[in-house]
Amino acid sequence: GYFIPKVSFPQLLMVLTVSFVLARIKSGAVNGWMTILDKERFRIQALQAQLEALQLLAIKDEKAKGLFDESLLELVKSLSQLQKLSAYRMNAVVNFLLNTLLAWDALLIIKIRKFEQTYFDKLDDLEMHLANVEVWISGSKMAYNNPQHTYASWSEGEFEFKHLSHPFVPISKRIANDFTLNSSECAVILTGPNMAGKSTYLRSVGAAIFLANAGFPILAESIKLPKVELYTSMRTSDDLLANSSYFHAELHRLRFIVDAIESGNKVFFILDEIL
């Protein structure tokens, strides 16, 4: 309008001033968002790449359809777009021109509010789905990087672990052990001298049960176990703020485990140097 000319210079100046002032009013809120988005930009990019790969997998494989949620990919793409639009403001000259000509920060706030309205009610479900995606990615990486690991098979009541090791122990120091517990037995008492590896052995059994329930591979030749809930009392510590001694903390932990057993749950418990 100014160059045609249809708008006078004072009118143009007034419009640009209003635009700039409007943008500056919103710049504080945008700066807060921009700081968060800029800090997380690499994670957002990685998430988008992972979800797009999962989308391709869901298209190719019928079994993978339940793993993919279109809403989650839309959310991450929207975040990525907001991050890119916010990044234009990093250059002082570009920031001045955008806010003067387009009230850029005010437009960004509108987009941010729209994003919040669209996804706020879905965040709990999407966060849970995102957590599951991260679990699947972790499990896939673990299986790919450790082809010697095996998956658990499920039994009615027997535990049978063959050549079980703890995945954190280096290969040069790793010693594999067996563990068996049939349906007619209820407990195993493990004894031995100090520094003989008792706690590491107990942790190996606990980690195997945990990984099996998560669907992850386990460092063992073979493993068979029933569906159980895992309860432990290991490395219990005192709490001065809660006025709880080490002995008192262990008693509370034992009470917690006993309550789970008495409630009828199928419990596998591990107690290390109890009381």
Side-chain angles (χ1 to χ4, degrees):
Y2 173 71
F3 285 107
I4 292 177
K6 292 288 183 182
V7 176
S8 67
F9 181 75
Q11 290 173 322
L12 174 65
L13 189 61
M14 183 180 69
V15 170
L16 295 182
T17 302
V18 170
S19 174
F20 184 76
V21 169
L22 181 63
R24 293 303 297 171
I25 290 171
K26 300 296 184 181
S27 64
V30 174
N31 287 337
W33 258 85
M34 192 181 73
T35 301
I36 296 170
L37 290 173
D38 190 59
K39 182 180 177 182
E40 300 292 340
R41 68 185 185 279
F42 295 117
R43 186 160 183 259
I44 293 169
Q45 291 168 7
L47 278 174
Q48 185 173 340
Q50 290 168 350
L51 291 169
E52 287 172 348
L54 192 60
Q55 184 182 36
L56 289 174
L57 182 65
I59 293 171
K60 293 178 182 178
D61 191 338
E62 190 72 24
K63 296 177 182 177
K65 282 188 176 179
L67 308 181
F68 178 69
D69 189 321
E70 188 73 38
S71 299
L72 185 56
L73 180 56
E74 289 173 3
L75 181 147
V76 174
K77 282 183 175 178
S78 297
L79 272 180
S80 181
Q81 184 190 33
L82 284 173
Q83 190 275 320
K84 289 175 183 175
L85 293 175
S86 299
Y88 294 147
R89 303 167 69 258
M90 297 297 287
N91 184 292
V93 176
V94 174
N95 186 0
F96 176 78
L97 290 174
L98 286 174
N99 279 321
T100 303
L101 299 174
L102 301 173
W104 192 254
D105 284 1
L107 291 173
L108 276 176
I109 283 295
I110 292 171
K111 288 183 177 293
I112 289 167
R113 295 289 175 259
K114 186 178 179 181
F115 173 84
E116 291 175 339
Q117 291 169 4
T118 303
Y119 294 107
F120 184 79
D121 293 336
K122 303 177 183 176
L123 280 179
D124 284 346
D125 292 338
L126 292 175
E127 188 176 9
M128 182 58 68
H129 189 78
L130 180 60
N132 288 333
V133 170
E134 291 179 346
V135 169
W136 298 324
I137 291 170
S138 298
S140 301
K141 287 175 66 176
M142 185 176 177
Y144 182 82
N145 291 325
N146 300 280
Q148 74 277 21
H149 291 202
T150 187
Y151 288 93
S153 59
W154 303 102
S155 69
E156 290 300 319
E158 293 180 325
F159 292 85
E160 188 178 324
F161 302 172
K162 290 185 178 178
H163 294 120
L164 174 69
S165 300
H166 198 292
F168 289 175
V169 177
I171 295 176
S172 59
K173 298 180 180 180
R174 189 178 291 163
I175 298 174
N177 291 281
D178 296 341
F179 173 76
T180 57
L181 185 68
N182 62 46
S183 55
S184 64
E185 298 171 324
C186 65
V188 171
I189 297 176
L190 182 65
T191 63
N194 291 336
M195 298 182 67
K198 301 186 300 298
S199 294
T200 302
Y201 177 71
L202 293 176
R203 291 192 182 99
S204 299
V205 174
I209 295 172
F210 176 82
L211 292 170
N213 279 279
F216 280 25
I218 299 149
L219 184 53
E221 185 180 296
S222 65
I223 176 168
K224 183 167 66 173
L225 73 162
K227 295 286 183 70
V228 291
E229 295 181 10
L230 179 63
Y231 285 76
T232 66
S233 182
M234 303 178 73
R235 299 185 68 180
T236 306
S237 60
D238 58 358
D239 188 345
L240 297 178
L241 294 176
N243 198 25
S244 175
S245 67
Y246 174 75
F247 185 80
H248 188 253
E250 282 205 319
L251 286 178
H252 268 283
R253 188 65 188 168
L254 283 175
R255 181 72 264 174
F256 177 70
I257 295 171
V258 170
D259 287 344
I261 296 169
E262 291 179 344
S263 67
N265 297 340
K266 202 166 188 177
V267 171
F268 186 94
F269 60 87
I270 298 177
L271 313 178
D272 190 15
E273 296 186 349
I274 196 67
L275 301 179

